Amino acid sequence: MIVIGIIDLQIGNLFSITKLLKNINKKYVIFNSQHDLEEFELIILPGVGSFPRAADNLGANNLNDKVTAFAKSGRGVIGICLGMQLLLDSSNEFGVTKGLGLIPGKVIRIPESSLQRVPNVGWRTVSCTNRLYNKHMNEIIDNQDFYFAHSYYCVPKDNNCILATINSGKDKIPVIVSNGHNVFGVQFHPELSDLRGELFFSSLIEKMKKLGAK
C-alpha cells in the first residue's frame, strides 16, 4: 500500500522532495485531484513560489476540501516552505488570499532592515520554543542550522502552535508550526539541509504516519 502522497501544485520543489524521500527509503506517489486520498496515511504539501498561485492551483484541482477532510480525519499533513504557509488562514502576498485554515493565523512579509535582508536565504539556526513530537526530534532541531529561502512567514493566532523560531533582525519569526496533533509546517527546506535535514524529515514522517495507521 502506498503510504505517502505528495500534492502536485504544479510549482516548486517536487524533484528535490522526491529525491529526499528516496534517500530515506520512503515510498510515495505524486497526486492531483484524480487520486483518492483514502489510500494515503500521510500527505506532503510542498511548494516554492507565490502563495496566490499555489492557492489557485489547489482550488482549480478541487484539492482544498480533500486536504481539509484528510486532516480532519486525523491523518498527517506536512507543509514545507510555501506548503507550510498554505496551512494557515490567509496570506497578504499580492493582496489577501485564502489558505487551507488548518492552523489559525496569517502569513505576512518579513520586515526588511539593516539586520535582515528579504528574501531570507541561507543557513539559519533554529531554536525550539515548544517540544516537538518527542525529545529526540527536539535534539535534532534545537540550535542546529537549516536552509531557508522565503520572503513571507507564518503568524499563528495561538503561540502554542509555534514550535521553533529563527532570529530575523531583532525579532524572532516562527519556522515550525503545528496544530498540536497531525498538521505540521516547516519553513526551512529539509531536502536542502544535508544529512540533518534528512534525519529530521525521516523522524517526522515516522511519527506522523502512525497518526494515520489503520
Side-chain angles (χ1 to χ4, degrees):
M1 175 176 140
I2 294 170
V3 175
I4 301 173
I6 306 174
I7 301 175
D8 183 5
L9 288 177
Q10 301 168 18
I11 60 172
N13 53 340
L14 275 180
F15 173 77
S16 56
I17 292 296
T18 56
K19 182 179 179 181
L20 171 62
L21 292 174
K22 289 176 182 176
N23 287 346
I24 59 178
N25 297 313
K26 305 300 180 185
K27 294 181 179 180
Y28 66 88
V29 65
I30 298 171
F31 74 92
N32 54 32
S33 58
Q34 304 303 315
H35 275 83
D36 182 359
L37 273 60
E38 289 303 313
E39 67 181 293
F40 303 128
E41 294 175 358
L42 165 68
I43 59 175
I44 296 173
L45 183 60
V48 174
S50 75
F51 189 106
R53 183 179 174 190
D56 285 347
N57 287 344
L58 274 174
N61 287 283
N62 300 310
L63 286 169
N64 304 66
D65 292 341
K66 286 187 175 183
V67 174
T68 300
F70 186 92
K72 288 183 177 179
S73 76
R75 287 169 290 176
V77 178
I78 300 175
I80 301 174
C81 195
L82 177 59
M84 165 177 161
Q85 297 174 10
L86 289 166
L87 300 175
L88 274 69
D89 292 320
S90 65
S91 171
N92 68 1
E93 184 177 3
F94 305 121
V96 178
T97 305
K98 185 178 179 181
L100 291 168
L102 298 178
I103 298 176
K106 61 184 178 180
V107 180
I108 62 175
R109 185 171 172 83
I110 298 171
E112 189 161 8
S113 70
S114 60
L115 300 176
Q116 176 62 65
R117 293 182 178 180
V118 180
N120 174 45
V121 177
W123 294 85
R124 304 289 182 264
T125 302
V126 174
S127 300
C128 292
T129 55
N130 287 295
R131 173 167 282 201
L132 306 186
Y133 283 115
N134 53 52
K135 182 180 178 181
H136 174 62
M137 287 181 62
N138 270 69
E139 291 173 348
I140 295 172
I141 290 289
D142 199 27
N143 295 316
Q144 301 297 326
D145 292 345
F146 294 86
Y147 188 83
F148 291 82
H150 63 122
S151 298
Y152 289 76
Y153 72 101
C154 296
V155 184
K157 288 183 179 179
D158 184 350
N159 285 336
N160 289 323
C161 293
I162 302 171
L163 303 185
T165 63
I166 59 170
N167 292 327
S168 175
K170 296 181 180 180
D171 301 316
K172 295 182 182 294
I173 62 173
V175 295
I176 300 179
V177 298
S178 175
N179 68 347
H181 178 49
N182 66 318
V183 179
F184 197 99
V186 184
Q187 186 64 67
F188 59 82
H189 289 273
E191 76 280 12
L192 300 177
S193 298
D194 295 337
L195 293 178
R196 186 162 293 274
E198 291 185 3
L199 179 60
F200 163 71
F201 207 59
S202 180
S203 299
L204 176 60
I205 284 175
E206 288 307 308
K207 173 61 182 179
M208 297 192 73
K209 275 170 53 179
K210 293 177 182 178
L211 300 173
K214 305 275 191 304

